[in-house]
Amino acid sequence: MWEVLADRGFGGLTLRAVATSMGVSTGMLMHYFPTKRALVAHALHLLETRTAQRPRRERPTEGIAALRAMLLDILPLTPGDTARNRIWVSSWDLALADDGLGAEQADRYTRLRASISPHLEAARAAGELPESADPEQLAATAVAFTHGLVVQALFDPARFTEAVQIAMLDDFLASISDRSGQGR
Amino acid sequence: MWEVLADRGFGGLTLRAVATSMGVSTGMLMHYFPTKRALVAHALHLLETRTAQRPRRERPTEGIAALRAMLLDILPLTPGDTARNRIWVSSWDLALADDGLGAEQADRYTRLRASISPHLEAARAAGELPESADPEQLAATAVAFTHGLVVQALFDPARFTEAVQIAMLDDFLASISDRSGQGR
């Protein structure tokens, strides 16, 4: 199922495609997934689980450095990260067309921003951000930058190498940080 | 077709759905679109055309102010802008699963970045950006921020009101601008 999703997205997720990929009959697969809806529900569950259980960087630090590690864990820097992101981006079409799935995705975004805000609050307290910085708004901006980079990188991996993505992230983080008085 | 796309995305684009929405028979519609593929091709053409022909803000200025007008024209600030963005985001699933459509989307991103870079070059020349700024990389960052905000706003329009989106854009543009020596 993961291979089918990584290759064809949710738009190409069918019982027949999964059965073919597994080398079993569609009838065999229908024993487990009687409907397309059951297949999609399992695919979304698999995506959530794999995302939650993916290996992550150590996060020994607070503030901007911790945020950097979090965002690096989201970007498509390895083939596995790329497949996961590709499936997430694919799921947005599904989620935008279904009120229930859309609300789940909105909640997911709210949780992601809420997991980022404390690092930005700590960064502000440590003088890494201007005092006027709004951690909640900046969390939404950091998520926006990261997911927008994900999409561009998925379509153009040759242009958005690992080095380019990391340089863009570091420059983005430098730009939101407080450089006043430090010159450039 | 536009209504079906705005409501259900490409995942829900079927001859039957469009025929029902138009109040005609599926057979009648198949006279014009004999296959699902023909329907999708027309939908993508419609999306391109509507995007190219949408009304845009005046852009009397150069540099950061011109970039601001361009990015405001992308964000989902009106119902029409929201529908258009929703259909674009939906199209990514299709494009990621099809080499030809994927290459077209990569080219589209290249053109979008190329239309932004000159404004950033002008901004740097006018002292609005640090001398060390890389206009090409910053163009990719601006597109990333904007499209990542589009996705969050589509899923949570109540949270990302017009005022919130504009405030985020203005703070983002301020953060990439050269504030050294200006204090905050």
Side-chain angles (χ1 to χ4, degrees):
Chain A
M1 184 180 289
W2 193 255
E3 281 169 26
V4 170
L5 287 170
D7 196 35
R8 306 184 215 176
F10 280 90
L13 181 71
T14 61
L15 285 161
R16 180 187 292 264
V18 175
T20 302
S21 175
M22 293 177 70
V24 302
S25 69
T26 305
M28 167 74 144
L29 195 67
M30 286 184 73
H31 188 69
Y32 300 93
F33 303 108
T35 61
K36 171 80 187 277
R37 191 172 181 82
L39 195 70
V40 167
H42 183 72
L44 286 168
H45 177 71
L46 189 66
L47 181 55
E48 286 270 12
T49 307
R50 291 224 172 174
T51 301
Q53 295 176 350
R54 76 188 190 278
R56 295 178 200 218
R57 285 163 182 77
E58 277 193 45
R59 292 179 197 171
T61 44
E62 276 202 325
I64 296 293
L67 174 59
R68 180 177 188 271
M70 281 188 74
L71 300 184
L72 283 173
D73 279 339
I74 293 175
L75 290 173
L77 300 178
T78 68
D81 294 334
T82 302
R84 195 184 63 252
N85 273 295
R86 187 255 177 276
I87 300 169
W88 273 119
V89 171
S90 163
S91 77
W92 295 340
D93 183 27
L94 207 67
L96 284 168
D98 182 302
D99 288 346
L101 295 178
E104 281 175 26
Q105 181 60 35
D107 287 348
R108 209 173 279 122
Y109 266 126
T110 300
R111 289 195 300 273
L112 179 57
R113 292 189 298 262
S115 70
I116 286 175
S117 294
H119 295 304
L120 290 165
E121 276 164 30
R124 189 178 59 182
E128 291 185 300
L129 293 179
E131 296 231 350
S132 60
D134 175 344
E136 275 193 41
Q137 184 184 299
L138 264 185
T141 296
V143 169
F145 164 76
T146 306
H147 277 185
L149 176 52
V150 164
V151 174
Q152 287 180 86
L154 288 176
F155 281 109
D156 205 343
R159 162 85 176 70
F160 293 92
T161 61
E162 180 176 357
V164 168
Q165 290 186 57
I166 292 175
M168 284 178 65
L169 174 60
D170 283 333
D171 283 359
F172 169 76
L173 292 174
S175 75
I176 64 170
S177 300
D178 189 5
R179 300 161 309 185
S180 60
Q182 296 176 25
R184 283 187 58 129
Chain B
M1 186 181 285
W2 194 255
E3 280 170 26
V4 170
L5 287 168
D7 195 35
R8 305 182 215 177
F10 280 90
L13 181 70
T14 61
L15 285 162
R16 180 187 293 266
V18 175
T20 303
S21 175
M22 291 176 72
V24 301
S25 69
T26 304
M28 166 74 146
L29 196 65
M30 285 183 75
H31 188 70
Y32 300 94
F33 304 108
T35 62
K36 171 79 185 276
R37 192 172 180 81
L39 194 70
V40 166
H42 183 73
L44 286 169
H45 177 72
L46 189 65
L47 181 53
E48 286 271 12
T49 307
R50 290 223 173 176
T51 300
Q53 296 177 349
R54 74 191 192 276
R56 296 178 198 218
R57 284 163 183 77
E58 277 194 45
R59 292 178 197 170
T61 45
E62 277 202 324
I64 295 294
L67 175 60
R68 180 178 188 269
M70 281 188 73
L71 301 183
L72 283 174
D73 278 338
I74 293 175
L75 291 173
L77 301 177
T78 67
D81 295 334
T82 302
R84 196 185 63 251
N85 274 293
R86 186 253 177 277
I87 299 170
W88 273 119
V89 172
S90 163
S91 77
W92 295 341
D93 183 26
L94 206 67
L96 284 167
D98 181 302
D99 287 345
L101 295 178
E104 281 175 25
Q105 181 59 36
D107 287 346
R108 208 173 278 124
Y109 267 127
T110 300
R111 289 195 300 273
L112 179 56
R113 291 189 298 263
S115 70
I116 287 175
S117 295
H119 296 304
L120 290 164
E121 274 163 32
R124 189 178 58 181
E128 290 185 301
L129 293 178
E131 296 231 351
S132 61
D134 175 342
E136 275 193 40
Q137 184 184 300
L138 264 186
T141 296
V143 169
F145 164 76
T146 307
H147 277 186
L149 176 53
V150 164
V151 174
Q152 288 181 83
L154 288 178
F155 281 111
D156 204 342
R159 162 85 174 71
F160 292 92
T161 59
E162 180 177 357
V164 167
Q165 291 186 58
I166 293 175
M168 284 178 65
L169 174 60
D170 283 334
D171 283 359
F172 169 76
L173 293 174
S175 75
I176 64 171
S177 300
D178 190 4
R179 300 163 309 187
S180 60
Q182 297 178 22
R184 282 186 58 121

